[in-house]
Amino acid sequence: MSSPMELRPGETAVNAPGDFNAGIYFIGRIRTPWTRRAECPRQGRLDGPVCRIELFEPWAAALDGLAAYERIEVLYWLHLSPRTIIRQSPRNDGVAQGAFSLRTPLRPNPIGTQMAALVGIDGPVLHVRGLDCVDGTPLLDLKPDRCAYTPLAAPQPGDSHAGDS
């Protein structure tokens, strides 16, 4: 896509609602080697370049214990992405798919999520591999790898619920 709002054949955009339903805090900033969306990889690679995640105060204390994980989930706000394109033609061939069936940054709520390899933590700065976003991207959240995480809290009734009833 050459321009953020230029539609390709088969693509569809809508008028966005005038109000928002939630507020979020940007808790940090992501530093990558890419300055434009067109330079970013389509998917992050665990052997990609080391990138920095810089946490803002007062959030740095929330990193306590995260170093125990080899991989972390990084959630970020794709601030340069249009939010009104709902059907896209990723191959630019006129065949469009809904945004929810794609891992596109062009979505109503442009939240990016990536599993990244945690290289190290230096104070409020994380060094990771595997990101796919533009330098300066706002950070929303960090979570330990869900496959490696074991809940610390006591079990609750829904933890063992299986089936439809």
Side-chain angles (χ1 to χ4, degrees):
M1 181 167 285
S2 57
S3 161
M5 285 306 293
E6 182 180 318
L7 296 179
R8 295 180 281 206
E11 294 186 336
T12 307
V14 297
N15 291 323
D19 59 338
F20 294 95
N21 302 108
I24 57 171
Y25 294 110
F26 292 155
I27 62 168
R29 192 76 56 201
I30 300 172
R31 299 296 176 193
T32 71
W34 307 292
T35 58
R36 297 179 315 113
R37 280 184 32 217
E39 298 171 342
C40 294
R42 291 197 186 274
Q43 299 291 328
R45 295 173 45 128
L46 293 178
D47 63 350
V50 173
C51 300
R52 294 168 48 99
I53 298 174
E54 302 169 347
L55 258 66
F56 302 147
E57 286 299 335
W59 313 114
L63 293 174
D64 185 33
L66 191 64
Y69 298 91
E70 291 181 20
R71 291 177 16 146
I72 60 172
E73 185 173 11
V74 182
L75 291 101
Y76 41 97
W77 189 258
L78 300 163
H79 62 295
L80 301 177
S81 297
R83 300 177 69 175
T84 57
I85 301 175
I86 58 169
R87 293 185 43 81
Q88 299 165 47
S89 177
R91 293 183 187 95
N92 198 15
D93 60 2
V95 178
Q97 290 182 239
F100 299 141
S101 71
L102 302 168
R103 287 194 50 88
T104 176
L106 312 178
R107 42 197 337 103
N109 290 308
I111 298 170
T113 179
Q114 190 67 39
M115 294 304 295
L118 181 58
V119 176
I121 300 176
D122 183 20
V125 177
L126 290 83
H127 301 275
V128 300
R129 289 184 187 275
L131 296 181
D132 60 354
C133 58
V134 171
D135 185 56
T137 295
L139 177 67
L140 296 177
D141 205 351
L142 299 167
K143 297 176 184 260
D145 179 349
R146 70 181 71 87
C147 294
Y149 183 76
T150 302
L152 302 175
Q156 56 189 39
D159 290 344
S160 60
H161 187 111
D164 295 330
S165 55

